[in-house]
Amino acid sequence: MRAVLVEEFGAPPRLTRVPDPAPAPHGVVVAVEATGVCRSDWHAWQGHDEDVVLPHVPGHELAGTVVAVGADVRGWRPGDRVTTPFVTACGTCPECAAGQQQVCRAQTQPGFTGWGSFADLVALDHADVNLVRLRADLPTSAAAALGCRVATAFRAVSDVGRVRPGEFVAVHGCGGVGLSAVAVAAAAGARVVATDLSPAARALATSFGAEHVVDPADGPVAAAVEHLTGGGAHVSIDAVGSPVTCEASVRCLRRRGRHVQVGLLPAAVGRPSVPMDRVIALELQVLGSHGMAAHDYPRLMSLVMSGAFPLGRLVGRELPLEAGPRALSELERPGTAGITVLRP
């Protein structure tokens, strides 16, 4: 099969031919029809994730069709159209037994612990626990985003941040996760303030339901959010994962506000300065959110199919698989509004 292969961290990957995967007894192989290019893939390419072993194929956000099924799989057959959370859970550990597969202690992750979806084919583990069936009327390119960015934002806003109608929600960063968080929060009846350095991303955030947008280049973001919300956000989401956005997210909260960290913060990007004195004095909550379990997808699918979430408009551009190396390198200097999707 064709795949985008990383042979040295940080060095240009290349499109080449590699052996086809075979399904594990509990797994499947999926023919990839669309795969998102995510900031997490950039971290993997740069060597920021200790689970990544070279040579490596990135990609964890996908939609496609099952083409091979392991002997122990019961619920899936070749021809099924699917996506999957980026955490492929084991299904048997204590966290999985409690329904919290997104923090499975024995998890695997395509594009991190194993080869991913920047390829014609990808192997996925524990299919009966992790696959999500896609409706025939859901466009493939948009469906790919459900595996990571949309599902991650949905759970971060709805379940971890517990956003309620009328609350002010600040979203820091308007890439795929951030735009999804804006749309989910707006659909929940929240009043959203979005921040991003890109004018195109800020414009898209407005079209996704943001009431206000803030350019970080104009001055301290926390002060701007406090002014626009009359005292600070009830919920603030760092959808970037940088020391600057993390600290701004905590500082822009009102009393008893809730900070949700979604963007990755690997040591290589620096450690944020979280003002714990402020956390204590204002009784702030500092929360982490890590994807979403497959069994939670029906709620997300209901939102998408209701039309309240503009999933199709999340895709900024579609590129062929051979453009994968270039698309990966462009994540270092974000400029394209919406997400980039590769079509093998």
Side-chain angles (χ1 to χ4, degrees):
M1 68 174 182
R2 298 173 307 149
V4 174
L5 192 68
V6 175
E7 296 168 288
E8 180 183 346
F9 291 128
R14 64 189 179 99
L15 182 69
T16 188
R17 293 272 176 182
V18 299
D20 292 356
H26 51 70
V28 299
V29 171
V30 171
V32 180
E33 295 167 10
T35 182
V37 183
C38 180
R39 181 74 174 171
S40 302
D41 300 317
W42 181 85
H43 283 298
W45 170 44
Q46 292 298 308
H48 297 167
D49 191 316
E50 62 184 16
D51 290 327
V52 175
V53 177
L54 298 176
H56 182 68
V57 177
H60 63 283
E61 188 178 59
L62 66 112
T65 299
V66 175
V67 293
V69 178
D72 297 338
V73 175
R74 295 292 174 261
W76 302 94
R77 297 289 182 271
D80 289 340
R81 189 164 173 260
V82 299
T83 186
T84 182
F86 69 87
V87 171
T88 45
C90 72
T92 58
C93 72
E95 286 71 29
C96 286
Q100 303 299 330
Q101 284 89 345
Q102 76 281 351
V103 289
C104 169
R105 64 181 60 186
Q107 66 186 254
T108 56
Q109 297 182 10
F112 300 96
T113 63
W115 283 13
S117 54
F118 283 19
D120 292 320
L121 303 168
V122 63
L124 302 174
D125 291 334
H126 300 287
D128 286 326
V129 177
N130 297 304
L131 293 191
V132 176
R133 195 176 304 277
L134 293 174
R135 289 176 47 146
D137 56 348
L138 192 61
T140 299
S141 292
L146 295 172
C148 175
R149 281 171 277 194
V150 175
T152 295
F154 179 82
R155 183 169 172 274
V157 172
S158 301
D159 298 348
V160 179
R162 307 182 308 280
V163 169
R164 295 184 287 269
E167 288 189 320
F168 282 106
V169 176
V171 177
H172 302 260
C174 296
V177 171
L179 287 173
S180 298
V182 168
V184 173
R191 304 176 65 184
V192 181
V193 180
T195 80
D196 199 285
L197 286 166
S198 165
R202 293 196 301 273
L204 200 52
T206 299
S207 75
F208 272 49
E211 188 172 318
H212 303 284
V213 292
V214 173
D215 183 351
D218 290 340
V221 167
V225 172
E226 185 175 5
H227 171 73
L228 290 167
T229 60
H234 296 87
V235 179
S236 186
I237 297 171
D238 176 11
V240 176
S242 76
V244 171
T245 52
C246 176
E247 184 174 356
S249 180
V250 175
R251 288 192 178 279
C252 79
L253 290 168
R254 66 178 60 209
R255 284 164 170 75
R256 311 205 78 233
R258 308 177 298 279
H259 161 75
V260 184
Q261 187 64 42
V262 176
L264 299 178
L265 278 164
V269 305
R271 293 302 189 192
S273 176
V274 178
M276 294 306 294
D277 55 339
R278 186 176 179 87
V279 170
I280 296 166
L282 303 188
E283 289 195 351
L284 305 179
Q285 296 180 51
V286 177
L287 306 162
S289 191
H290 189 245
M292 188 171 77
H295 66 77
D296 273 338
Y297 270 69
R299 292 185 295 134
L300 171 58
M301 293 298 192
S302 294
L303 176 65
V304 169
M305 301 316 297
S306 74
F309 184 95
L311 182 63
R313 289 197 288 116
L314 190 61
V315 178
R317 60 178 181 169
E318 298 182 31
L319 300 173
L321 183 62
E322 51 264 32
R326 171 169 58 86
L328 197 59
S329 67
E330 288 173 350
L331 291 172
E332 206 161 9
R333 47 185 191 284
T336 302
I339 70 170
T340 296
V341 170
L342 302 179
R343 297 294 299 265

